[in-house]
Amino acid sequence: MKQQAVGVTPSTTAEDLVRGRNRQLTRRRRTIWLLSVLVVLMFAVTLMFGKTFYPPGEVIRVIRGEEVPGASFTVGRLRLPRAVLAVLVGLCLGIGGVTFQTMLRNPLASPDIIGISSGASAAAAFAIVILSLGGAAVSAFAIVAGLGIALLVYLLSFKSGVVGTRLILIGIGVAAMLESITSYILTQAAEWDLRDAMRWLTGSLNGAAWGQVIPVLAALLVLGPVLLGQSRNLATLRLGDDAASALGVRVDRTRLILVISAVGLIAFATAAAGPIAFVAFLAGPIAARIMTSGGSLLVPAALVAALLVLVADFSGQYLFGTRFPVGVVTGALGAPYLVYLIIRTNSRGRSL
Amino acid sequence: MTTTHTLAIQDLSVGYGDRAVIEHLDLAVPPGRITAIVGANACGKSTLLRSMSRLLSPTGGQVLLDGRQVHRMPAKELARTLGLLPQSPIAPEGITVADLVGRGRHPHQRLLSRWSKADDLAVAEALDATVTAALAERPVDELSGGQRQRVWIAMALAQQTDLLFLDEPTTFLDVSHQIEVLDLLTDLNRRRGTTIVMVLHDLNLAARYADHLVALADGGVHASGTPQEVLTEDCVRAVFGLDCQVLEDPVSGRPMMLPIGRHHVRAKPG
């Protein structure tokens, strides 16, 4: 290396760096804005369109709390809580999913693949069907089960250190087991119709009410900022444990905070809407493709997930002859991607 | 800027599970110099480096930086004084050189602080010192092995630590890139007085580039001192179980070692 032969002074390099970074930041902000606008637009569409169309004016009057014949029930009682829950659940799944994928440096290590969502779902179904619980108790069950499954999968895959692929394979096995538990629990509930059962099998927003919205909102408001606060540590963790701790990241503590917060978000979302298939899994990689400028993926993935849930739920309701729950639609989108990813990971190694 | 940091290892024992890798090891790292740690495979070189930078907790003894136990220091504070480039760090897919080098600023940044002028200058200086400024916008995945290693070193430089540890910084590099990296580290040491400690495989390169050699064997220090003191025929036999002949390197005047195997050895006259 011809030292200093190149006539670059530190100041011009620094200027270039600042310019490059500002360019990246502008691009990043623009993309995040665009995603947010799309979420708001889709939110508005789900409020206005459906079996009956309500113009924006009426929808806004309903949101303001005014009594509008017809619209007050359809928009205010049915569509609004459903759309709000879709957005919130999406945000939770997106952040939780991409946290896991980034932390374990593998897009397959998403909570809905490695059994955490299935655990939360089985526990919620158990709490509702067998124990006849409701509300906060169900969420509590889901969270404890989610954390328990996360711990179980981690311990089972621990053999002188945790290797990502082993954790994923064990997680997939655990998930399959938990799904059969959910199915079994649902057979015990004779009075349940298929649509309710579908919630705990693939996730559904049918019958969403404000009572389900509030715990999810609370979880997002508490745990979302915790994870955003860790985003720099999370980014540093991607360099590997050794490099991260050499840079002053307390690896074990950071990982604990990340896991608990991410599992919390996933479990609250799952307790409200069931294990909506593959949203947590899809959002991160899609966000990574969109955000070419680098930087934290937490917010972009959250927005992508919210958009996914909104679009999937809307199309599930109105685009096909029958009404499909949201999880069936996201599942149909996610499964081919899962296959693609497994093939690609096999041939190329890691990626997000 | 000369460093006056002292780093002393006292009665250090480290192990994985029941297996002790390092036992009762004492070592003082000379400040402002280049120290190379050499030894046979699996003799605990990396383990020593990792526990010196507290990636591993010792089972006994202590590592003292300026008289303070590194294992009790706040993580970021330690990371502002002592940097480590691990053997195989992971470059996140698609990350650009500038972003990766910028990660080196982590210990200087607070939870929500914005990117500062000092951060930019440090990154720019690191890029210039490693001649990687022209690569700043390129994705790290696309670089050659030698370029990539320079970028990782730039990241460690951006950390602006007075002590820098490197775990086999020249592995997987061809000979010209090995020399390039070692020259770069020597520049860093001479210009900034950075104390450098590195694990090296190649004894001759270690003897040429290090001011201080540490030979490890059986979980302890077998010999330490100047290359002349350490790189001897007896020492190589004891540490590596290998016969050799030590000559003066005509290029540097430092000692160099020629291994004697079972084949291709000229019959001694007489």
Side-chain angles (χ1 to χ4, degrees):
Chain A
M1 169 169 34
K2 306 293 171 286
Q3 282 286 323
Q4 288 356 66
V6 197
V8 201
T9 60
S11 66
T12 64
T13 309
E15 281 160 23
D16 288 349
L17 281 175
V18 174
R19 224 169 297 128
R21 204 185 50 246
N22 285 340
R23 220 169 27 235
Q24 274 186 11
L25 262 181
T26 319
R27 266 218 310 272
R28 179 179 162 81
R29 286 212 190 100
R30 206 176 293 150
T31 318
I32 289 180
W33 262 110
L34 186 70
L35 280 173
S36 316
V37 168
L38 284 175
V39 170
V40 172
L41 272 181
M42 196 57 218
F43 183 76
V45 165
T46 49
L47 291 185
M48 291 188 304
F49 293 88
K51 280 233 169 69
T52 331
F53 171 77
Y54 293 97
E58 282 187 28
V59 169
I60 288 170
R61 278 169 59 205
V62 171
I63 293 174
R64 278 218 205 108
E66 290 173 42
E67 200 61 40
V68 185
S72 276
F73 179 74
T74 314
V75 177
R77 297 276 292 281
L78 299 180
R79 291 187 195 167
L80 189 60
R82 185 175 186 133
V84 171
L85 188 63
V87 171
L88 291 176
V89 163
L91 294 175
C92 289
L93 294 177
I95 302 186
V98 80
T99 300
F100 265 87
Q101 290 168 326
T102 315
M103 182 175 67
L104 297 171
R105 300 176 205 111
N106 194 323
L108 287 170
S110 140
D112 41 2
I113 307 278
I114 58 172
I116 293 166
S117 308
S118 323
S121 180
F126 179 78
I128 292 172
V129 174
I130 311 287
L131 304 177
S132 319
L133 298 173
V138 175
S139 301
F141 250 81
I143 290 156
V144 171
L147 282 173
I149 294 302
L151 185 73
L152 179 75
V153 170
Y154 184 84
L155 289 179
L156 285 176
S157 52
F158 196 93
K159 186 179 162 197
S160 60
V162 167
V163 178
T165 41
R166 186 162 53 214
L167 186 141
I168 291 159
L169 288 175
I170 287 174
I172 291 174
V174 170
M177 220 165 65
L178 290 162
E179 274 150 32
S180 63
I181 291 177
T182 307
S183 303
Y184 173 75
I185 291 171
L186 293 177
T187 62
Q188 303 299 300
E191 76 274 24
W192 279 40
D193 64 17
L194 188 66
R195 209 189 287 170
D196 279 329
M198 283 304 261
R199 163 171 303 155
W200 304 112
L201 289 173
T202 62
S204 161
L205 292 165
N206 285 335
W210 293 115
Q212 288 157 277
V213 171
I214 289 154
V216 183
L217 179 66
L220 188 66
L221 289 180
V222 174
L223 299 174
V226 171
L227 283 175
L228 289 180
Q230 292 293 322
S231 61
R232 207 175 264 165
N233 282 343
L234 179 61
T236 312
L237 218 47
R238 291 183 73 189
L239 306 178
D241 289 0
D242 281 4
S245 57
L247 287 168
V249 177
R250 293 169 65 184
V251 173
D252 291 334
R253 201 185 71 148
T254 304
R255 200 173 280 147
L256 193 69
I257 296 174
L258 291 172
V259 168
I260 290 180
S261 313
V263 169
L265 285 177
I266 297 287
F268 269 100
T270 307
I276 302 183
F278 294 139
V279 172
F281 166 63
L282 286 171
I286 293 177
R289 297 289 175 285
I290 299 174
M291 303 300 293
T292 47
S293 54
S296 164
L297 286 178
L298 292 182
V299 173
L303 292 171
V304 167
L307 196 61
L308 269 176
V309 177
L310 277 173
V311 171
D313 189 41
F314 188 76
S315 29
Q317 284 186 82
Y318 304 114
L319 244 52
F320 310 103
T322 12
R323 290 191 159 209
F324 287 113
V326 58
V328 171
V329 180
T330 56
L333 289 175
Y337 180 67
L338 176 66
V339 173
Y340 162 75
L341 208 65
I342 290 173
I343 294 170
R344 203 174 89 113
T345 315
N346 252 347
S347 59
R348 277 218 351 216
R350 78 214 148 77
S351 77
L352 184 70
Chain B
M1 181 168 74
T2 28
T3 43
T4 49
H5 295 287
T6 59
L7 187 73
I9 294 148
Q10 294 174 348
D11 195 30
L12 185 77
S13 299
V14 192
Y16 300 99
D18 301 332
R19 198 168 62 89
V21 179
I22 290 174
E23 283 180 296
H24 307 293
L25 183 145
D26 290 285
L27 182 69
V29 172
R33 312 304 297 272
I34 297 181
T35 301
I37 302 174
V38 298
N41 285 339
C43 72
K45 299 182 300 261
S46 294
T47 304
L48 176 61
L49 207 62
R50 284 160 55 87
S51 41
M52 277 160 69
S53 45
R54 86 151 190 201
L55 267 49
L56 282 176
S57 295
T59 47
Q62 51 190 4
V63 180
L64 297 174
L65 175 65
D66 300 328
R68 295 168 68 192
Q69 282 197 42
V70 298
H71 291 87
R72 298 243 174 104
M73 282 173 74
K76 278 195 172 178
E77 189 191 330
L78 179 69
R80 286 194 291 267
T81 311
L82 192 161
L84 168 85
L85 187 58
Q87 201 171 359
S88 42
I90 304 162
E93 201 172 77
I95 193 170
T96 63
V97 169
D99 280 347
L100 184 67
V101 176
R103 297 286 166 86
R105 299 302 294 164
H106 187 266
H108 298 271
Q109 293 167 330
R110 307 234 239 137
L111 186 62
L112 294 170
S113 68
R114 304 286 299 261
W115 196 262
S116 74
K117 188 109 205 305
D119 292 331
D120 279 320
L121 284 176
V123 172
E125 215 184 294
L127 290 172
D128 284 332
T130 52
V131 200
T132 48
L135 308 173
E137 311 254 319
R138 295 260 304 273
V140 176
D141 328 335
E142 291 176 6
L143 304 182
S144 71
Q147 289 173 326
R148 205 172 303 164
Q149 189 63 348
R150 272 183 1 229
V151 168
W152 281 111
I153 291 176
M155 188 198 81
L157 295 191
Q159 204 175 335
Q160 291 190 320
T161 57
D162 291 332
L163 290 93
L164 178 58
F165 296 175
L166 303 105
D167 196 351
E168 302 198 12
T170 57
T171 339
F172 307 124
L173 297 182
D174 61 37
V175 65
S176 70
H177 288 118
Q178 292 183 24
I179 298 295
E180 191 176 283
V181 163
L182 293 170
D183 275 341
L184 172 65
L185 294 172
T186 310
D187 287 338
L188 181 68
N189 167 261
R190 300 232 171 116
R191 282 205 206 113
R192 297 200 197 161
T194 307
T195 304
I196 291 176
V197 181
M198 55 188 167
V199 170
L200 281 184
H201 251 306
D202 189 313
L203 272 180
N204 289 334
L205 285 180
R208 183 179 295 183
Y209 277 92
D211 304 307
H212 192 81
L213 265 189
V214 177
L216 292 189
D218 304 324
V221 175
H222 178 80
S224 85
T226 63
Q228 283 82 359
E229 288 164 357
V230 175
L231 190 56
T232 61
E233 287 164 14
D234 288 339
C235 178
V236 172
R237 195 174 301 117
V239 171
F240 293 93
L242 176 75
D243 287 327
C244 73
Q245 195 175 346
V246 172
L247 305 173
E248 191 190 87
D249 175 350
V251 175
S252 64
R254 301 271 181 103
M256 62 181 275
M257 180 278 290
L258 296 175
I260 300 174
R262 288 187 294 112
H263 293 290
H264 304 291
V265 179
R266 225 184 259 166
K268 275 194 181 140

